[in-house]
Amino acid sequence: DIGNSFVTQVAGRKKWLFVDPEYTTNMQVYGDRLNLVFIAGFDVFREPVPPEVHLKEVIAYPGDIIYFPTMTFHAVYNLDPVTISVDNTAPDLPGAVRRHWLLTAATVLNPWIIIKGISIFVNTGSFSGTDLYFDGYVSKGEGEL
């Protein structure tokens, strides 16, 4: 992600696992959703990651706020049947470049992002990163498939 995240845990508990960008070359990284998000290639809750990759584990309780910087691989697992979190993301392009320039370039220079952004602006008259990220996830109206 090309943004710093501040996640507030509102209800329930979540287990977070973090991998520092220095271990990117040890992961099986691939881009998802127009390269706006990068996947580490491992389901850290179901399969082992390479032994040289250090995972940092955090349990978030209601009222906790977790900060993690741009380009930090992470995984989240709900520990309770109902959990609510609020993620506030602050774009940080210079930080993304410092932490992993190649993945940042793959996002920023992706021509599909530019085309999708223009399309969203033409169709709605406005544009936001949220619109771009969630494009394609919009729920259909009643009776639509």
Side-chain angles (χ1 to χ4, degrees):
D1 304 355
I2 302 184
N4 297 313
S5 285
F6 296 87
V7 179
T8 303
Q9 189 65 30
V10 178
R13 299 169 301 139
K14 289 189 178 197
K15 176 195 268 187
W16 290 77
L17 295 175
F18 296 99
V19 176
D20 196 88
E22 72 181 85
Y23 299 108
T24 301
T25 56
N26 302 91
M27 307 298 276
Q28 301 169 359
V29 178
Y30 63 91
D32 190 38
R33 299 287 310 141
L34 301 173
N35 291 350
L36 291 172
V37 175
F38 289 92
I39 310 299
F42 293 94
D43 182 345
V44 295
F45 294 108
R46 293 187 178 89
E47 62 185 320
V49 298
E52 60 275 7
V53 175
H54 302 284
L55 297 174
K56 296 175 186 172
E57 181 179 310
V58 175
I59 304 294
Y61 294 88
D64 288 349
I65 298 174
I66 296 176
Y67 163 78
F68 56 95
T70 181
M71 291 297 177
T72 301
F73 288 101
H74 56 279
V76 184
Y77 183 78
N78 294 336
L79 297 176
D80 294 320
V82 176
T83 63
I84 300 172
S85 299
V86 178
D87 184 4
N88 293 302
T89 303
D92 181 14
L93 188 57
V97 170
R98 277 192 311 275
R99 292 178 69 79
H100 204 293
W101 70 269
L102 183 59
L103 296 182
T104 304
T107 299
V108 174
L109 301 176
N110 182 344
W112 289 110
I113 289 178
I114 297 166
I115 292 168
K116 270 292 192 196
I118 292 169
S119 173
I120 290 169
F121 182 77
V122 167
N123 290 326
T124 66
S126 66
F127 173 80
S128 76
T130 303
D131 294 336
L132 182 63
Y133 182 80
F134 288 107
D135 183 57
Y137 291 113
V138 177
S139 62
K140 304 288 184 183
E142 194 171 316
E144 294 182 52
L145 296 176

